Amino acid sequence: MSLGADGPPDRVPLEPLRIRSRVRDDCLVVEAEGELTILTADRLREHVLADMRGIGGPPRVVLDVGEVDFCDSSGLNALIVIWKSAHRAGGEFVLARPERRFRTIIERSGLDRHLIAHPTREKAIAALTAQ
């Protein structure tokens, strides 16, 4: 956000992170859009964990991060907590549509061994429903 010549911001974001969930083919599909940072990571984590508790049986979770513009270490930590929670409950957690920058962060942190990413939401759902 930048200040214009008169001082007011040029553009004020409505929300730094928008989250939507739905169930599709027995998978919880969560769409995240915006920034996954120290300011928003707790909200994403709590949203997904609450939705997982509402699922009967082991949770199969797809987090669509195709519209996530930025992810910091707090965001990565939230993903790890979600992944661990899904596995403890006998389920699975995967990512869908990570952009190159997002994939690079996951790979450089070594988390790509645990946070499996799929190029599309449909492929992520298919991978979970085939198990």
Side-chain angles (χ1 to χ4, degrees):
M1 175 169 51
S2 64
L3 295 177
D6 298 325
D10 293 335
R11 181 176 76 92
V12 177
L14 297 175
E15 291 180 59
L17 183 69
R18 288 159 302 286
I19 307 165
R20 293 175 299 281
S21 300
R22 62 189 166 99
V23 175
R24 181 173 156 204
D25 297 332
D26 292 327
C27 294
L28 172 63
V29 179
V30 181
E31 299 171 20
E33 180 182 353
E35 296 183 350
L36 188 48
T37 67
I38 192 168
L39 301 174
T40 61
D42 289 346
R43 193 168 136 244
L44 175 72
R45 183 187 68 239
E46 293 309 315
H47 180 101
V48 176
L49 294 178
D51 284 353
M52 284 171 50
R53 286 189 291 272
I55 294 175
R60 294 186 290 185
V61 183
V62 174
L63 177 60
D64 186 333
V65 294
E67 300 298 323
V68 172
D69 302 323
F70 179 77
C71 180
D72 68 9
S73 60
S74 297
L76 289 178
N77 186 56
L79 299 180
I80 293 165
V81 169
I82 295 167
W83 178 83
K84 285 181 177 181
S85 295
H87 278 259
R88 272 195 301 269
E92 189 62 61
F93 172 72
V94 298
L95 302 175
R97 299 188 324 125
E99 294 293 326
R100 193 174 114 207
R101 280 185 296 169
F102 201 101
R103 283 192 319 267
T104 300
I105 291 168
I106 292 170
E107 290 166 3
R108 288 188 180 164
S109 66
L111 294 173
D112 57 322
R113 291 181 299 251
H114 304 291
L115 298 176
I116 305 302
H118 297 275
T120 67
R121 189 180 313 156
E122 290 72 26
K123 288 185 179 189
I125 292 169
L128 293 184
T129 56
Q131 294 180 357

